[in-house]
Amino acid sequence: MLLIGVLALLSASPVQAQSRALPDSLTLEAAASLMMANNPGLRAARADADYVARSARDAARWPNPSVHAAQTSLPLPTGGTERETELGLTQTLPYPGNKRAQRRAATYTSEAAQFSYQEAQAQAFHELRTRYLSVAAAEARVQALQQLTDAVAEAAHTADVRHEEGDFSPFGRARMRVAVADFENALADARVSRRNARLRLAAYILPDSTIQAAAPETLITYTVAATLQAPAFDAAYDALRTQALAQRGLLNAAEAQVDAQQQQLRAARLGRIPDVTLSLGPVLRDQPGGTEWGYHAGINIGLPMWDTGRMRVRVQEAQQQRAQAQQADAKRAVEVELRTAYTEAQSYRNRIDQLSGEVLASTDSLLQQAQYVYEEGELNLVGLLDAMEAARSAQLLQIDLVAGYLRRLSALEYAMGVRPADTPPLLPAARLEPAD
């Protein structure tokens, strides 16, 4: 039994011996879940949002009280010593409106940090779908080129048979072999591109420990559960724009920052009112004649003679103007992103409709028809090679158009602020999954 177990272990392939880093067929939902859990960029964005929110809340807290103790010892002319011990508690009381404005500013700053994290999520989701679609496109290119290469190899085999029978020239035979080499080279390049695309996707969603420990082959031996299909595009721009203005994290963060700076400006203006500091505590006087208890109470009010707070107000006014300018710039950037993605998506959809109906539909069986006509002797070698190249160009063009269209839809949804937790209105995951 031990010998059988050892033989079974030795006969296992290297890929099987290693635990798989990814499933055989990776869905977009599974990839998004892995990204949310493992992507270091998102972890950094989450930590940054927490840091900003906590720092803002900490700055809005009331100042801590302070405790002091002092003892005074004086010699008496009649002899003996008089000792006075004092304990005190001191608390600074800012102007109530000042702290209220600071607390509101902290709330808006926390909201801005959360919206910034949502923006990072939307950006990461767009990057994920871009890499996922790159794998899908690479797999489709390999499949198409494999079929074409097999067909060209079959035609080359026919040419070899005809050459041996004396019905095909040596030049024609050599030309067919060059065509086979060209198609095989294109197929090899496509396989390298597929390998690289799979590796880039795996590196984006897997934890560091898995990437470092996994064998390289386990990171590229999966496929994506996606088909390149072009969904219809009939969304109205105004509706998409309305959703983008309400949902985009970049815009919401900029708006929250404007609100926070307004409250900070109010706090700076109210901060010119001097704070009041109260102190209170017991006093113990010990002298030869006995011990006496008392108390002390005090109030301190700062005099704004050298630092009137006017410069802080001016600085905060500049900060508010900067926040307003950044909000306007963010809105303009989103408008440009949205309009650009919308126009490009329309362009790709129109090209797909036009070429699929007029050009690509007639080239689906072009190579098979050309091979049949060539074998019947009604098509020369030049015509066959042209048909091969036309079939390859047509299939790769169709793949590039659909993949480019899907990427533009993803870019359009990113401009709208779509995150992994949302339901994408234009490119839901169900549209990428193979039909049952």
Side-chain angles (χ1 to χ4, degrees):
M1 292 298 294
L2 178 61
L3 178 61
I4 295 176
V6 172
L7 292 176
L9 179 62
L10 294 177
S11 63
S13 66
V15 174
Q16 292 173 342
Q18 294 282 345
S19 60
R20 297 188 62 86
L22 291 169
D24 292 336
S25 182
L26 180 65
T27 63
L28 183 59
E29 291 91 341
S33 298
L34 289 171
M35 179 196 69
M36 293 297 295
N38 304 315
N39 185 264
L42 283 180
R43 293 203 306 268
R46 175 71 271 177
D48 184 64
D50 291 341
Y51 167 76
V52 171
R54 292 176 182 177
S55 298
R57 289 194 296 267
D58 185 66
R61 296 181 185 275
W62 279 64
N64 291 325
S66 61
V67 178
H68 68 274
Q71 186 178 70
T72 304
S73 180
L74 298 173
L76 298 175
T78 59
T81 303
E82 177 181 302
R83 292 184 177 87
E84 184 174 283
T85 303
E86 178 181 302
L87 297 176
L89 179 68
T90 302
Q91 174 68 60
T92 299
L93 302 177
Y95 188 74
N98 185 0
K99 278 301 173 184
R100 188 182 305 113
Q102 289 183 0
R103 287 194 297 270
R104 290 176 179 174
T107 300
Y108 288 128
T109 302
S110 300
E111 292 178 357
Q114 182 61 33
F115 288 135
S116 296
Y117 177 58
Q118 293 178 4
E119 174 69 16
Q121 286 182 317
Q123 186 175 6
F125 189 44
H126 172 51
E127 178 65 21
L128 169 68
R129 293 201 290 184
T130 298
R131 298 191 184 200
Y132 190 86
L133 289 172
S134 294
V135 175
E139 292 177 352
R141 291 175 69 90
V142 169
Q143 182 179 1
L145 287 173
Q146 182 66 65
Q147 294 175 352
L148 291 171
T149 302
D150 293 343
V152 173
E154 183 180 351
H157 176 71
T158 303
D160 290 340
V161 173
R162 291 179 59 184
H163 173 73
E164 294 176 358
E165 295 175 352
D167 191 27
F168 203 69
S169 66
F171 171 78
R173 182 187 183 187
R175 184 65 184 86
M176 285 299 301
R177 290 181 175 179
V178 170
V180 172
D182 178 59
F183 274 77
E184 289 178 346
N185 180 68
L187 177 60
D189 286 341
R191 286 172 175 166
V192 172
S193 298
R194 181 184 62 182
R195 176 191 179 94
N196 294 338
R198 287 174 175 174
L199 185 59
R200 291 182 69 248
L201 176 60
Y204 198 69
I205 62 178
L206 290 177
D208 296 338
S209 58
T210 302
I211 296 176
Q212 295 172 2
E217 290 301 320
T218 64
L219 300 177
I220 59 172
T221 54
Y222 66 94
T223 60
V224 294
T227 56
L228 295 180
Q229 300 176 356
F233 184 69
D234 53 0
Y237 177 78
D238 291 339
L240 301 182
R241 180 179 180 274
T242 300
Q243 183 173 349
L245 295 179
Q247 183 173 334
R248 182 70 183 268
L250 181 65
L251 295 180
N252 293 331
E255 182 179 358
Q257 281 291 356
V258 170
D259 295 336
Q261 293 302 326
Q262 288 177 347
Q263 293 300 321
Q264 290 286 11
L265 177 58
R266 184 171 184 269
R269 289 170 175 167
L270 294 174
R272 299 184 64 186
I273 301 175
D275 295 337
V276 176
T277 301
L278 301 179
S279 59
L280 180 66
V283 177
L284 172 64
R285 178 174 296 176
D286 186 8
Q287 50 189 338
T291 301
E292 297 179 352
W293 285 91
Y295 73 93
H296 72 90
I299 180 170
N300 295 325
I301 300 178
L303 298 178
M305 296 181 61
W306 320 120
D307 182 10
T308 62
R310 184 178 301 173
M311 185 56 65
R312 286 191 293 273
V313 172
R314 291 179 179 176
V315 170
Q316 199 56 51
E317 287 175 346
Q319 293 284 0
Q320 184 189 29
Q321 292 174 1
R322 184 180 69 171
Q324 291 173 343
Q326 290 175 341
Q327 181 187 25
D329 183 67
K331 184 176 181 180
R332 184 176 302 179
V334 170
E335 291 272 10
V336 172
E337 288 181 11
L338 192 67
R339 176 61 71 180
T340 300
Y342 186 84
T343 303
E344 290 181 351
Q346 279 187 322
S347 175
Y348 268 86
R349 180 68 260 186
N350 293 336
R351 278 180 276 173
I352 290 174
D353 292 340
Q354 180 181 4
L355 295 178
S356 296
E358 298 179 3
V359 179
L360 299 181
S362 60
T363 58
D364 288 342
S365 58
L366 176 62
L367 183 56
Q368 291 80 0
Q369 294 176 359
Q371 285 180 287
Y372 176 78
V373 176
Y374 175 74
E375 292 173 357
E376 293 296 322
E378 299 179 6
L379 183 67
N380 58 21
L381 176 61
V382 175
L384 177 61
L385 295 177
D386 286 343
M388 292 177 179
E389 185 59 35
R392 177 168 64 177
S393 299
Q395 292 196 28
L396 296 184
L397 175 60
Q398 187 172 15
I399 293 172
D400 292 342
L401 282 176
V402 176
Y405 173 58
L406 296 178
R407 291 191 186 98
R408 269 61 183 186
L409 290 181
S410 178
L412 182 57
E413 289 184 337
Y414 165 61
M416 297 164 57
V418 174
R419 298 177 290 129
D422 301 327
T423 301
L426 304 175
L427 190 59
R431 293 187 177 181
L432 296 177
E433 296 175 355
D436 295 334

